[in-house]
Amino acid sequence: MKITASIVVLLVLGLATSVMAQENLILKKGQAGEMIVGKSLYDGLSRGDDIKVGKDPTIVEIYRAGKLFMRLEVEVKVFASLEYMIKVIHVFEEKFRTESGIGVGSTLADIQAKYSTNIQVGKTSDGRQAAMIGELAMDFWLERVKPSSRALM
């Protein structure tokens, strides 16, 4: 069995400053593509994104092309209108990657190879097994996957 990073990234509070491209799928400290912790979720939406707010108004899911793209933990504020300020980002899209190439589907060995000096493996506050990378302020959720079985003839 090998361990892979399945649902990637819990970003803690932080600020990032950079100009983002149209299809920015880079994971950085405090940022997943266009979504930036501390900013409005509306600033990071793309045309065609579907937003779903459930019974808990502090959890917002963004769907792209009918597929769960990311889940945001937000702080709901009322200015001139209802505003959702991003607190935490959970990424589900496999195309998101750190500058070192780590993302959904990366193995624990991949993560350790890229971030060997600043990684801890343990449990998150919600009990998930995770590889925590201090320099990025990210948790990569881990799950055990069974290798695909192959029939030999």
Side-chain angles (χ1 to χ4, degrees), residues 76-87:
V76 181
K77 293 186 175 185
V78 178
F79 296 111
S81 63
L82 191 62
E83 190 68 62
Y84 296 94
M85 305 304 288
I86 300 169
K87 290 173 50 179

Side-chain angles (χ1 to χ4, degrees), residues 5-11 27 32 70 89-94 96-98 102-106 111 138-142:
S6 67
I7 305 172
V8 112
V9 182
L10 175 85
L11 297 173
L27 299 173
M70 69 174 59
I89 304 169
H90 302 269
V91 175
F92 296 87
E93 172 57 53
E94 294 181 6
F96 276 101
R97 297 282 168 202
T98 66
I102 300 300
V104 174
S106 296
I111 296 168
M138 292 183 194
D139 294 347
F140 290 83
W141 298 343
L142 303 171

Side-chain angles (χ1 to χ4, degrees), residues 31-44:
Q31 180 178 339
E34 309 273 340
M35 295 295 175
I36 302 173
V37 172
K39 301 278 186 171
S40 168
L41 79 87
Y42 298 113
D43 294 339

Side-chain angles (χ1 to χ4, degrees), residues 109-142:
D110 295 336
I111 296 168
Q112 289 171 325
K114 299 292 182 176
Y115 301 101
S116 61
T117 60
N118 199 5
I119 185 173
Q120 289 183 307
V121 177
K123 297 217 181 245
T124 61
S125 60
D126 63 357
R128 296 177 190 266
Q129 186 73 19
M132 295 158 266
I133 302 172
E135 70 189 73
L136 297 177
M138 292 183 194
D139 294 347
F140 290 83
W141 298 343
L142 303 171

Side-chain angles (χ1 to χ4, degrees), residues 5 11 18 44 50 86 95 107 109 122:
L11 297 173
S18 69
D50 291 320
I86 300 169
K95 294 178 185 173
T107 65

